[in-house]
Amino acid sequence: MNIARPADDSGLSQTALEQKASAHFLAHRFKEASDIYKELLKHSDKVYWRQQLAQCYLQRALNFAVKGQFKEAVILWENYAELAEPPLANFDDYIIWLLSTKNIKKAQAAIALLSSEQLDEQYHDLAVSLGFLILTDQLDIAEQLPQDSAFIKHLRLIREALTACRENNPEQLDAVLKKLPFRSAFRDLRPLLKGLMAIPASIEQGRELLSKLPEKSPYRAAADALLAYTQEGKDFADSALYLEPLQRKIIAKAKGLGNKELELLDTLCQNNNRLTDKFKFDLAIRYRALFGDDSVKRFCQAMLLNYPAGRKDYLKHFGSANPFEEHRIKALLCEHNQMKDDAEPHWRQCIEALKNQGQQNDRKIALILRHMTGAVLPEDTVTLLVESLNYDPDDRDSFLKILKYYDEHAPDPTEYQRWLDVCLKQFPRDTDFLTFAIKASSQKKAFKKASQYAKVLLKIDPVNTLAKQSLVSSHLAHARKLIKTKKYHLVDKEIQSVGKLLADKKMRAKAELMRGFFELVAEDKQLGLQKIADALQKLNADPLAMHFQATVEAVLLDLPVATVTRQLPPIKDYLLPAQGLSSLIRLIKQYDEQGCDFKILIKALDKFKKLIKRSVEQQDYTEALLLEWTQVLVSLQHFELLRHCAKLALGRWHKPIWRYYKIYAGANGSPARVDMLDFYRLKDSLDDALRENDQRTAQLIRRFNAEIEQFLNPLNFIEDLFEQYEHDVQEDAIMHLFGHLPDSDIHKINSQLASIKEQKTPDQVLAICFSLCRKKISPKIEDFLVGDQLFVTCAALFYAAYELQMDIGITMDDIVAYFDESDLPKSSFPFF
């Protein structure tokens, strides 16, 4: 092993040595430089070399002091002092280092050498430290200091101030402190003493004054002790942890704490960095006399959540836990450990325990059931909320959540209407439930009923926009109906009847639009077309939105679209900007809320499909805007535009939501049309969504996959295959050929299947598989095998493993032999 040795300088000339020492000095390698300068001084006592060596000692002393190695700093500074000429640099630091190492004798000798100028003007930090040590009786040097110095004068003032404090004389204190200059070594005592006098008469004023002390002030510790005195309870305990033992004892006694409480504080301080759950649990029991049995019992019950090992001690000190508390702790522990499914039976036991205690616990039971909703699917959430209403039937939030679920997920329109009726009966003047009622009535084209709800809502909330819009829409829908049935004499009256509601410009424009159609059909065609064009321009800033609204209104009135749109701005080569797409989305939603038939909206959209597709391709829409557009297309079930949008979005953002929409649109929303590979792509996307905490996407995929599984069974062979199909034909084949593989390998094979479909057709996969057989297969057997979809599935699994270069322990010959020799009935399950 080669060990680096210091360079041998013995052969160098003095000039070369001096140059080398200078290089070390300039590079701040003061130890190496000092060694060379000492060597040079052995041959010649040059003043420059001695000065350089002195500087080396000084710099090394400062470096040691920075590291907190004050003893070494003292020795090196003294070496520096032997070589340097007065005035000596860093003399004040030297004294502070001596005091830090408790070398009081040397420190006092050095302090005696201080002049008034040094003490008052040059060594401010030293003067502050000396003042603190003198006042705290740690250093008896006041008589040795220059008596004509400002320091001594200010020391006398501070002693007068301390006397004023002891005598509780704030006026005298203020008078003395006013004489103390800002630059005084004792200036930090001003806020400290004034803060002390303010307590306890004005705690806030005292805290404000004490907080002004600098963190590095030697009086900071005293300020912290006083601040701790002003605290109570946990805040006091937290503050007391950082006090010195003597300070803590003084403050504790001043607050009237007993020996047991002080002992507890000391214990907390000694173990502040290792307050484990066990330690806190044991400490609470040890000092239960201080806290009271009930408080300690509740605390320890809560601690069992994180410290289940304390259960034995808990039972020892507090007896058998009641069933409710026993299961509550277990349930919370399960939730804490992310085992939410395991928590449910314990919550149920809690409910049973409360039931046994009588009806006085109904509210608690309801709260538990509502707490349980945080760990279940939305449909299960509704079940729990409904159950909770059996115990707390007046909980508005539960009714609202149930109604929102049926509104957003629409699993059963009849059930939604039933709950809406229940909510309206329970809360007839609640604005949220009235809003739901207006929307539901509009969607069912029950405009008269919607108007009734809107009138009730306006009485409660006169500026409610939705209620006003609903009334206007109701009247205009009726006017539209009158126009279609040619009851022209009633149309104008219907439009005029909403005049008092038309404070909003948009609402007035809607009425003008309907009047334009009335003019077009019944009176002056040209005037009507002009009014329509004017109204559409007021309603929409975007030309496509104008055309779309004109188209919808024309279709609703059975009028030719081309006639209505003739006077609108042309849109032949138009690209829809982001604001324009937002306007189109808003229009569709408005018509949806008014109960417009989806077929009419789809028919209107179809006239602009090319324009919309081109815009989505060429315009740089944000992901949020495209997601909003996608959701509108889903509500309309417009799968052509949905496929186009989802495909482009997935190319830009590789997220689970876009993979879901691409597959959903590709199957036209029908779970029966989703093939196996897309089903497992969705399962992978579900995992990705859960990892990203995208709960909304996870719920969409979870619900769609549940529907798909009804069509995929019985050949659901990935991951949980072997538990689900223990007795059927498919399980026998898969188990025989692939049952020995670990789940991790099955998952890899499944992932590979997704990429295979993108690259190869089923025929190509089978051709490769047959080419991998060692034995020749007759055309007759090959045709027989190709017609067996279960064989196709097994061959695809084998090929996926082959592409992964995975040794699965079977060959294609084994698979062929299994299916050729077996009498298995043939499955019709499609692989691709």
Side-chain angles (χ1 to χ4, degrees), residues 613-718:
K613 286 182 179 180
R614 188 170 66 248
S615 298
V616 172
E617 289 170 4
Q618 298 181 26
Q619 298 286 72
D620 190 21
Y621 297 141
T622 65
E623 185 182 12
L625 180 58
L626 277 182
L627 192 57
E628 189 179 6
W629 173 236
T630 299
Q631 289 161 357
V632 167
L633 295 175
V634 169
S635 68
L636 294 179
Q637 298 288 280
H638 198 306
F639 294 109
E640 182 182 349
L641 287 176
L642 181 60
R643 282 192 293 273
H644 179 265
C645 180
K647 183 179 179 181
L648 285 172
L650 184 59
R652 296 184 198 172
W653 305 285
H654 300 287
K655 292 183 178 180
I657 186 64
W658 295 117
R659 290 198 292 274
Y660 162 75
Y661 279 132
K662 183 175 183 294
I663 294 170
Y664 178 82
N668 279 7
S670 171
R673 299 180 64 176
V674 178
D675 64 35
M676 185 179 68
L677 289 182
D678 277 341
F679 172 65
Y680 285 107
R681 286 192 186 101
L682 284 173
K683 292 192 78 173
D684 290 340
S685 296
L686 174 60
D687 293 339
D688 292 342
L690 291 172
R691 275 194 295 273
E692 296 168 13
N693 198 28
D694 184 354
Q695 296 298 330
R696 184 185 177 280
T697 299
Q699 180 57 22
L700 286 172
I701 298 174
R702 197 182 281 120
R703 186 181 300 112
F704 195 45
N705 269 6
E707 296 172 357
I708 296 168
E709 283 178 327
Q710 297 176 17
F711 297 93
L712 291 187
N713 288 340
L715 190 57
N716 189 359
F717 60 85
I718 302 299

Side-chain angles (χ1 to χ4, degrees), residues 439-457:
K439 289 181 179 178
S441 299
S442 298
Q443 287 172 351
K444 290 191 295 185
K445 299 184 180 179
F447 299 114
K448 187 175 181 180
K449 204 168 187 179
S451 297
Q452 291 172 351
Y453 288 127
K455 289 174 183 177
V456 175
L457 182 53

Side-chain angles (χ1 to χ4, degrees), residues 465-730:
T465 303
L466 176 67
K468 287 184 177 181
Q469 287 177 343
S470 177
L471 278 177
V472 170
S473 298
S474 177
H475 284 294
L476 295 180
H478 189 54
R480 195 183 289 121
K481 184 178 180 181
L482 293 172
I483 292 171
K484 286 182 70 174
T485 56
K486 298 184 180 181
K487 297 177 181 178
Y488 301 135
H489 62 289
L490 299 174
V491 174
D492 190 59
K493 181 181 177 182
E494 190 69 25
I495 294 174
Q496 287 180 2
S497 68
V498 297
K500 60 183 179 181
L501 299 168
L502 302 180
D504 182 86
K505 290 181 180 179
K506 292 284 185 182
M507 291 184 188
R508 284 202 300 271
K510 286 182 181 180
E512 290 169 13
L513 178 63
M514 188 58 61
R515 187 174 292 281
F517 276 104
F518 171 58
E519 293 275 0
L520 172 66
V521 172
E523 297 183 358
D524 187 331
K525 182 177 180 180
Q526 284 305 120
L527 179 62
L529 288 173
Q530 187 59 51
K531 284 186 176 181
I532 290 170
D534 291 344
L536 287 170
Q537 289 182 22
K538 291 177 182 177
L539 287 166
N540 306 288
D542 184 80
L544 176 61
M546 296 179 203
H547 279 262
F548 178 78
Q549 188 164 16
T551 302
V552 172
E553 293 293 340
V555 173
L556 286 170
L557 291 166
D558 295 330
L559 297 174
V561 174
T563 301
V564 178
T565 58
R566 189 180 302 150
Q567 293 186 343
L568 297 179
I571 56 171
K572 182 179 179 182
D573 298 318
Y574 183 64
L575 282 179
L576 190 63
Q579 190 59 42
L581 182 57
S582 294
S583 298
L584 181 61
I585 291 169
R586 189 163 53 251
L587 260 179
I588 294 172
K589 288 182 177 179
Q590 285 174 5
Y591 278 114
D592 179 29
E593 289 172 357
Q594 293 167 20
C596 184
D597 192 331
F598 283 175
K599 292 179 182 178
I600 293 175
L601 296 176
I602 291 173
K603 185 177 180 180
L605 269 182
D606 282 344
K607 293 185 177 295
F608 312 106
K609 281 191 301 188
K610 289 184 179 179
L611 185 156
I612 293 171
K613 286 182 179 180
R614 188 170 66 248
S615 298
V616 172
E617 289 170 4
Q618 298 181 26
Q619 298 286 72
D620 190 21
Y621 297 141
T622 65
E623 185 182 12
L625 180 58
L626 277 182
L627 192 57
E628 189 179 6
W629 173 236
T630 299
Q631 289 161 357
V632 167
L633 295 175
V634 169
S635 68
L636 294 179
Q637 298 288 280
H638 198 306
F639 294 109
E640 182 182 349
L641 287 176
L642 181 60
R643 282 192 293 273
H644 179 265
C645 180
K647 183 179 179 181
L648 285 172
L650 184 59
R652 296 184 198 172
W653 305 285
H654 300 287
K655 292 183 178 180
I657 186 64
W658 295 117
R659 290 198 292 274
Y660 162 75
Y661 279 132
K662 183 175 183 294
I663 294 170
Y664 178 82
N668 279 7
S670 171
R673 299 180 64 176
V674 178
D675 64 35
M676 185 179 68
L677 289 182
D678 277 341
F679 172 65
Y680 285 107
R681 286 192 186 101
L682 284 173
K683 292 192 78 173
D684 290 340
S685 296
L686 174 60
D687 293 339
D688 292 342
L690 291 172
R691 275 194 295 273
E692 296 168 13
N693 198 28
D694 184 354
Q695 296 298 330
R696 184 185 177 280
T697 299
Q699 180 57 22
L700 286 172
I701 298 174
R702 197 182 281 120
R703 186 181 300 112
F704 195 45
N705 269 6
E707 296 172 357
I708 296 168
E709 283 178 327
Q710 297 176 17
F711 297 93
L712 291 187
N713 288 340
L715 190 57
N716 189 359
F717 60 85
I718 302 299
E719 294 179 359
D720 57 350
L721 165 82
F722 308 124
E723 291 84 32
Q724 291 184 12
Y725 307 107
E726 296 179 357
H727 304 293
D728 59 18
V729 172
Q730 287 77 13

Side-chain angles (χ1 to χ4, degrees), residues 38-259:
K38 282 191 284 187
E39 185 64 31
L40 287 169
L41 286 167
K42 290 179 182 178
H43 303 287
S44 177
D45 189 21
K46 284 189 177 181
V47 174
Y48 175 73
W49 292 345
R50 193 183 311 111
Q51 291 174 345
Q52 287 296 93
L53 179 58
Q55 285 301 313
C56 286
Y57 283 131
L58 178 60
Q59 295 304 320
R60 288 181 65 200
L62 294 172
N63 288 339
F64 274 110
V66 169
K67 300 173 186 177
Q69 296 174 271
F70 299 119
K71 287 185 179 180
E72 292 81 355
V74 164
I75 294 170
L76 287 165
W77 190 91
E78 289 173 351
N79 288 343
Y80 152 77
E82 289 179 5
L83 296 169
E85 298 293 331
L88 298 175
N90 299 91
F91 183 54
D92 54 335
D93 290 326
Y94 170 64
I95 296 174
I96 291 174
W97 299 339
L98 288 170
L99 293 170
S100 299
T101 57
K102 308 299 182 185
N103 197 336
I104 303 302
K105 188 174 181 180
K106 269 192 177 184
Q108 288 178 325
I111 289 168
L113 300 176
L114 291 171
S115 66
S116 297
E117 182 182 4
Q118 287 175 318
L119 194 58
D120 295 337
E121 299 177 16
Q122 297 178 11
Y123 300 156
H124 179 75
D125 289 345
L126 175 62
V128 171
S129 297
L130 293 177
F132 174 77
L133 293 171
I134 292 169
L135 290 174
T136 53
D137 292 329
Q138 296 182 49
L139 196 61
D140 187 16
I141 54 157
E143 301 301 325
Q144 301 175 33
L145 293 172
Q147 297 302 300
D148 59 344
S149 63
F151 179 91
I152 294 296
K153 179 182 177 183
H154 299 163
L155 178 61
R156 296 189 186 106
L157 287 173
I158 287 300
R159 283 174 170 159
E160 290 180 31
L162 291 172
T163 301
C165 283
R166 282 193 293 270
E167 295 174 353
N168 195 24
N169 189 337
E171 293 80 8
Q172 179 63 23
L173 176 65
D174 285 341
V176 173
L177 291 179
K178 284 179 181 178
K179 300 176 184 178
L180 200 66
F182 176 76
R183 290 281 303 165
S184 170
F186 300 95
R187 68 181 182 188
D188 289 348
L189 278 166
R190 182 185 285 109
L192 179 66
L193 297 179
K194 293 187 76 171
L196 175 63
M197 289 296 286
I199 299 170
S202 177
I203 296 292
E204 289 304 318
Q205 183 185 0
R207 287 175 181 169
E208 183 181 352
L209 288 164
L210 294 170
S211 64
K212 292 180 180 180
L213 267 79
E215 287 297 324
K216 293 184 178 180
S217 171
Y219 303 99
R220 182 71 245 181
D224 290 339
L226 287 171
L227 284 169
Y229 176 80
T230 67
Q231 306 288 344
E232 298 294 337
K234 181 180 181 299
D235 291 335
F236 167 70
D238 290 340
S239 301
L241 293 179
Y242 299 97
L243 300 179
E244 294 295 326
L246 181 59
Q247 286 181 319
R248 187 164 55 248
K249 185 175 182 180
I250 293 171
I251 294 299
K253 291 294 184 184
K255 290 182 71 67
L257 299 183
N259 292 332

